[in-house]
Amino acid sequence: MRLWRELADQGNPLALFAVAMLYQNGLGVAKDEAEAVRWYLQAAQQGNEGAQEALYEAYTQGRGVPVDYAEAEKWIRPLAEKGYGLPQLFLASLCLRKQNLIESYKWLTLSKRGNLPSDLATKGLENLRTKMSKADVVEAERLASEWRPQPKQP
């Protein structure tokens, strides 16, 4: 913790992420999920993708912060937009929570295209097809086929 904290205090995004993980897991410090979120936020604001995903998890599970799906989406959407399969799956679940079936279907399609080892996307798509009109499925598939990932930052 001492070494990571020194670098984190200098604003190093990897060190900020590491300090957050130490607080989240109680390694070298007392476990404190709210403090972990504080450090994750600093790292995420500097583009640390691990911290962005950790914030999604914190806000969807209420770890260290109140459950806030809008805030969770704020942190996971940029990762999904870059083309990462698991964040696309996460974003699909948030869209489904908002009853946006077309968007959810689109993100599940993209997640499945990313060849995740999980069959969650396949099962999710099968389930959504039973709830959507054929026109909505066609629209969702069109959106998925036209989608292009945003460039990943170095």
Side-chain angles (χ1 to χ4, degrees):
M1 171 58 106
R2 184 180 55 77
L3 295 174
W4 281 120
R5 181 63 192 262
E6 188 176 307
L7 291 170
D9 288 340
Q10 296 171 19
N12 179 295
L14 181 58
L16 291 164
F17 177 70
V19 168
M21 287 180 32
L22 293 173
Y23 275 111
Q24 181 178 342
N25 297 300
L27 301 171
V29 292
K31 183 174 181 169
D32 186 336
E33 290 183 333
E35 187 67 7
V37 167
R38 191 173 79 75
W39 289 96
Y40 281 135
L41 277 168
Q42 292 178 66
Q45 289 166 342
Q46 292 191 40
N48 183 287
E49 294 175 345
Q52 292 167 347
E53 189 168 331
L55 287 171
Y56 159 81
E57 292 172 5
Y59 282 107
T60 57
Q61 298 170 16
R63 289 193 340 246
V65 291
V67 170
D68 183 336
Y69 297 112
E71 193 67 16
E73 183 175 339
K74 170 185 164 183
W75 293 108
I76 206 64
R77 181 173 286 280
L79 299 176
E81 292 284 357
K82 289 177 183 178
Y84 296 126
L86 194 55
Q88 290 173 335
L89 185 66
F90 294 156
L91 184 55
S93 72
L94 291 173
C95 292
L96 184 59
R97 176 174 287 286
K98 294 188 300 186
Q99 298 298 308
N100 189 336
L101 303 185
I102 292 174
E103 274 294 297
S104 183
Y105 193 100
K106 175 185 101 174
W107 289 111
L108 283 171
T109 299
L110 293 168
S111 175
K112 183 178 176 184
R113 197 182 294 164
N115 296 319
L116 287 178
S118 168
D119 63 349
L120 288 174
T122 300
K123 289 181 181 181
L125 288 168
E126 290 169 3
N127 184 43
L128 280 176
R129 276 188 212 104
T130 67
K131 298 176 181 177
M132 296 171 66
S133 70
K134 288 185 182 195
D136 285 348
V137 170
V138 168
E139 174 65 6
E141 289 174 348
R142 182 191 66 77
L143 291 170
S145 70
E146 293 175 356
W147 179 86
R148 298 293 175 264
Q150 293 180 355
K152 296 176 177 123
Q153 301 300 317

